[in-house]
Amino acid sequence: MDLRELLSRNLSCPIEENVSLAKYCTFGTGGKAKYLISPYSALDVVRIMNAREQYHFPLFFLGNGSNVLLSDIEGVVILSSGFNYADYYECKEKNKVIIEVGSGHLLKSVVKESIRRGYKGFEFAVGIPGTVGGAVVGNAGAQGIDVSRLLLWVECVTTDGAVIRMDSNDIVSGYRYSSLSESGCFITKCAFEAASGDVRLIKEKCLEYWSKRSHQPYAYKNAGCIFKNTSNYSAGRLLDECGCKGKRIGDAEISSLHANFCVNLGNARVADIKKLIYECRDIVYEKKGILLDFEVKIFGF
Ligand code: EPU
């Protein structure tokens, strides 16, 4: 039995073949996935993990595609869009709010709903694109705060097909890092703790944080910051000081608004973006002696 047959016999969700990933990535460009699967249940993810034990294919998890640069993937891409829900529980006695949310739910929807209901905690996340699953795996953050601060637990499917729940204390988190990223686990859902607050104050904070993003480029497709900041330097400032703003290969350009953003002016190819960002990384290394670490995940061939 070949892989296609095995997957379609066992899974109860759509499987697409030879799919362009461009529309699934905020860069607006991407290679092809041999198989793109959109499961709705943890059970289907278990079945994919089990099939992988047998066939050893490359496997990539995709949320909103807002932090990735993907070439061709000769294997399986699992889309988390089927895990799209959020439940809000108020624990009146302590002003505590528990938010249980599917990995494919957008973080900005949690932010928006929290503002509407007057729950504080997620203000820092205003403007962060991407799904909750992606945010948890990459420990997304802004304003010096990150999602690990609010995380209670994560439910995921492990590489050997077990569905487990991990307490946030068992997950190592750092700046744009969580140990989940190395585990190979697929997150199905997680829970956050927020608190009841004053809607007016929450809105004010969100507006303050939002205004700090005014120098980020929104007119063109992009994948947020390309590089992580170092412990001492802002990657954007380093790239700017090294003259990277405005550098261009094909339709890929380093934004003149913020040097840590690479924008797609229209028809950028993955190869253009890749070449440009590696070139800029080399320039910073030559001029400053600092090797920047990618925040964007580059995957595929
Ligand atoms: N700067 C420059 N030139 C530039 C860009 C920035 O001189 O081209 C300077 C700024 O003037 C400022 C400093 O560098 O003094 C820091 O810049 P900024 O305030 O824009 O913050 P950042 O460190 O570049 C981080 C996150 C962003 C997040 C903002 C706001 C990282 C890699 N980036 O940017 O996150 O939106 O703070 O909190 O941590 C992302 O993760 O995709 C992202 C965009």
Side-chain angles (χ1 to χ4, degrees), residues 5-117:
E5 206 183 329
L6 179 87
L7 292 172
S8 38
R9 268 200 202 175
N10 286 294
L11 303 182
S12 58
C13 60
I15 306 167
E16 292 174 83
E17 207 167 332
N18 296 321
V19 184
S20 165
L21 293 166
K23 72 169 179 178
Y24 296 101
C25 298
T26 59
F27 256 134
T29 187
K32 277 191 175 170
K34 180 73 182 149
Y35 298 109
L36 181 78
I37 305 181
S38 315
Y40 301 104
S41 68
L43 189 58
D44 271 342
V45 181
V46 168
R47 288 170 176 144
I48 297 168
M49 294 295 196
N50 289 341
R52 194 171 182 229
E53 293 262 281
Q54 198 178 336
Y55 285 88
H56 309 288
F57 45 81
L59 181 61
F60 190 80
F61 307 141
L62 192 57
N64 192 46
S66 39
N67 198 32
V68 292
L69 181 61
L70 302 178
S71 309
D72 288 343
I73 296 176
E74 279 302 319
V76 171
V77 173
I78 304 184
L79 211 57
S80 66
S81 56
F83 298 86
N84 183 7
Y85 63 89
D87 295 317
Y88 297 77
Y89 305 101
E90 289 187 13
C91 315
K92 287 265 183 318
E93 58 305 346
K94 284 184 186 161
N95 278 350
K96 209 163 76 172
V97 176
I98 307 293
I99 306 171
E100 202 175 302
V101 50
S103 59
H105 197 65
L106 289 177
L107 184 61
K108 71 177 179 192
S109 303
V110 177
V111 175
K112 199 172 158 195
E113 188 59 13
S114 296
I115 296 172
R116 196 184 72 74
R117 293 174 180 243

Side-chain angles (χ1 to χ4, degrees), residues 141-143 175-176 213 215-216 223-225 227-229 234 236-237 240 245 257-261 295:
Q143 319 302 333
Y175 164 70
R176 299 293 195 275
R213 290 181 174 264
H215 53 276
Q216 295 183 356
C225 285
F227 299 102
K228 295 179 182 178
N229 289 337
S234 148
R237 176 171 288 174
D240 193 355
K245 274 185 175 171
L257 280 179
H258 194 300
N260 202 9
F261 281 72
E295 177 173 334

Side-chain angles (χ1 to χ4, degrees), residues 26 29 124 141 161 186 292:
T26 59
T29 187
F124 76 91
F186 177 88
L292 293 173

